[in-house]
């Protein structure tokens, strides 16, 4: 009997310990989906909203079928909104399906060592967006004309997209905790018709003409700065005398030289950007505004965590670029 009691005590202790919450156990726990706070609905017609909801529902259905969360809760939301000038000519509505990866955490405040909680926030998320492309602090490209009141007259691209894996790779950058074991990285992809782009590169000539207009406006608003601004106007006019072959090249400029034109620079120069504008000829204009005419997929991940790495990898497999391509023009 004494032997049996000792064995029981050992077995019970092992069983209890095995049930204690640990990050390793939680990382393998079957995950779940949960509807999070839904985004706004703004300036969208009732008919278009029905279709847009159906598009996002199809994306979620594909994910539910082919992706099983592990070690986390996936909080998802939809956003339907265009919030630009009424003078902007819209060809298609922007709308988005967002997923936030919220890992399971051991509940250190509970006396029950097996209890766990769900993180309330996470830097790891996925956004699949129709008809809009975020340009990392340099404006957003929409399926629309630039607003009439846009003070710049063009958008900024950090580097040219590269064709990769059946889509356009827009690049990856560190957006938080740089230099640590948990750097936050963000990568973006663009999925389009026939591998074409919904924007064009502004030529040097067009860029200089835009800057001339801005400088003329600046002189009218501040006549006292005319002499200062005239030297930049001279730089521009001198450059416009160059051969057309040179003026037709894409405008690659320095961020700190807008309105104060000094020179163009080589692609990849630190602190430079490539000027772009929406290519309105890209779009099928007879389609309703609810139709996706291009998608962007943005993946943001806090590195160095197996739960984040595994779930992001599995999401990419479930909603691949080929799937999104089949949804264009529908």
């Amino acid at each position: 009997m004494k032997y049996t009691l000792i064995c029981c005590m050992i077995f019970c202790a092992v069983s209890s310990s095995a049930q204690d919450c640990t990050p390793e156990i939680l990382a393998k726990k079957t995950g779940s989906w949960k509807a999070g706070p839904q985004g706004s609905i703004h300036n969208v017609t009732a008919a278009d909203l029905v279709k847009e909801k159906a598009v996002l529902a199809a994306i979620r259905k594909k994910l539910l079928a082919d992706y099983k969360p592990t070690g986390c809760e996936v909080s998802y939301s939809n956003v339907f909104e265009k919030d630009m000038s009424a003078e902007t000519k819209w060809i298609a509505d922007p709308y988005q399906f967002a997923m936030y990866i919220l890992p399971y955490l051991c509940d250190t405040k509970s006396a029950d060592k097996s209890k766990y909680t769900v993180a309330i926030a996470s830097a790891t998320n996925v956004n699949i967006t129709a008809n809009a492309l975020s340009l990392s602090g340099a404006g957003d490209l929409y399926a629309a004309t630039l607003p009439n009141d846009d003070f710049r007259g063009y958008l900024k691209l950090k580097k040219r997209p590269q064709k990769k894996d059946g889509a356009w790779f827009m690049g990856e950058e560190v957006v938080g905790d740089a230099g640590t074991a948990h750097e936050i990285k963000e990568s973006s992809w663009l999925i389009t018709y026939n591998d074409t782009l919904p924007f064009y590169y502004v030529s040097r000539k067009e860029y200089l003409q835009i800057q001339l207009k801005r400088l003329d406006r600046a002189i009218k608003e501040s006549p006292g700065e005319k002499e200062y601004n005239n030297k930049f106007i001279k730089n521009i006019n001198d450059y416009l005398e160059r051969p057309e072959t040179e003026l037709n090249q894409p405008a690659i400029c320095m961020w700190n030289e807008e309105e104060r034109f000094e020179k163009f620079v080589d692609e990849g120069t630190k602190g430079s950007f490539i000027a772009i504008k929406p290519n309105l000829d890209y779009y099928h204009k007879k389609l309703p505004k609810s139709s996706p005419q291009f998608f962007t997929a943005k993946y943001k991940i806090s590195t160095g965590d197996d739960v984040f790495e595994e779930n992001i990898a599995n999401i990419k497999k479930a909603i691949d670029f080929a799937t999104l391509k089949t949804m264009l023009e529908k």
Side-chain angles (χ1 to χ4, degrees):
M1 182 179 295
K2 183 177 180 181
Y3 177 80
T4 303
L5 179 60
I6 292 173
C7 289
C8 180
M9 289 173 63
I10 294 173
F11 175 79
C12 291
V14 171
S15 298
S16 175
S17 175
Q19 293 175 5
D20 286 353
C21 178
T22 66
E24 292 74 21
I25 290 174
L26 291 182
K28 298 177 181 179
K29 181 176 175 60
T30 300
S32 62
W33 289 83
K34 183 179 180 180
Q38 298 303 294
S40 56
I41 299 174
H42 190 61
N43 288 340
V44 182
T45 68
D48 284 330
L49 183 60
V50 169
K51 174 65 183 297
E52 291 164 18
K53 285 183 175 181
V55 171
L56 298 189
I59 290 173
R60 181 168 174 259
K61 182 179 180 180
K62 180 70 166 59
L63 283 162
L64 286 171
D66 296 338
Y67 158 63
K68 306 302 179 187
T70 304
C72 67
E73 178 181 280
V74 179
S75 174
Y76 65 92
S77 62
N78 297 333
V79 180
F80 309 89
E81 181 174 21
K82 53 186 184 203
D83 194 22
M84 295 173 66
S85 165
E87 297 177 341
T88 301
K89 294 181 180 178
W90 287 88
I91 298 172
D93 288 343
Y95 51 101
Q96 180 183 95
F97 180 69
M99 293 169 279
Y100 300 87
I101 311 302
L102 305 177
Y104 294 142
L105 305 173
C106 294
D107 188 352
T108 57
K109 295 181 180 180
S110 174
D112 184 347
K113 299 301 182 181
S114 67
K115 281 195 173 181
Y116 66 95
T117 61
V118 178
I120 61 173
S122 165
T124 300
N125 56 71
V126 177
N127 293 320
I128 299 174
T129 307
N131 306 322
L133 170 65
S134 174
L135 297 174
S136 300
D140 293 305
L141 176 80
Y142 295 100
T145 60
L146 290 177
N148 290 344
D149 61 355
D150 183 82
F151 75 95
R152 181 171 284 119
Y154 52 86
L155 299 168
K156 296 178 179 181
L157 194 65
K158 289 187 177 180
K159 59 183 178 180
R160 298 189 204 219
Q162 301 296 317
K163 191 69 194 316
K164 186 178 178 181
D165 298 335
W168 292 99
F169 180 52
M170 301 301 295
E172 180 180 77
E173 60 183 326
V174 176
V175 295
D177 297 338
T180 71
H182 296 284
E183 284 186 331
I184 300 172
K185 294 183 178 181
E186 186 174 85
S187 60
S188 297
W189 297 79
L190 179 62
I191 299 92
T192 66
Y193 296 130
N194 301 321
D195 299 329
T196 55
L197 291 169
F199 59 83
Y200 70 89
Y201 299 106
V202 174
S203 70
R204 293 178 174 182
K205 183 175 183 178
E206 184 178 1
Y207 176 84
L208 292 173
Q209 290 169 337
I210 290 170
Q211 299 309 328
L212 275 179
K213 291 179 180 178
R214 293 176 70 183
L215 286 165
D216 287 340
R217 185 168 63 247
I219 289 172
K220 289 178 181 177
E221 293 172 354
S222 303
E225 296 184 8
K226 181 177 180 179
E227 185 176 348
Y228 173 74
N229 285 321
N230 274 340
K231 64 180 180 181
F232 298 109
I233 291 176
K234 183 180 185 307
N235 285 347
I236 291 173
N237 285 328
D238 287 346
Y239 206 100
L240 286 170
E241 295 296 321
R242 298 196 181 194
E244 286 294 315
T245 52
E246 190 171 345
L247 292 172
N248 288 335
Q249 293 178 25
I252 305 173
C253 324
M254 298 301 293
W255 282 68
N256 60 356
E257 289 184 4
E258 289 184 282
E259 292 189 74
R260 305 292 184 266
F261 176 75
E262 294 283 356
K263 62 187 179 302
F264 292 109
V265 297
D266 293 331
E267 186 173 351
T269 300
K270 187 175 181 179
S272 68
F273 68 88
I274 306 170
I276 63 169
K277 277 189 172 183
N279 177 16
L280 302 185
D281 290 335
Y282 166 88
Y283 301 99
H284 299 184
K285 298 181 178 66
K286 293 184 179 180
L287 293 173
K289 288 185 172 61
S290 56
S291 292
Q293 303 222 28
F294 68 85
F295 282 108
T296 58
K298 180 176 288 187
Y299 305 96
K300 188 175 179 181
I301 182 170
S302 180
T303 59
D305 187 303
D306 291 342
V307 170
F308 292 147
E309 300 280 358
E310 180 179 350
N311 281 277
I312 290 294
N314 289 335
I315 288 171
K316 287 180 178 180
K317 292 177 185 177
I319 190 72
D320 58 11
F321 302 143
T323 297
L324 292 174
K325 274 192 174 184
T326 64
M327 301 176 71
L328 294 177
E329 199 180 356
K330 297 295 177 66

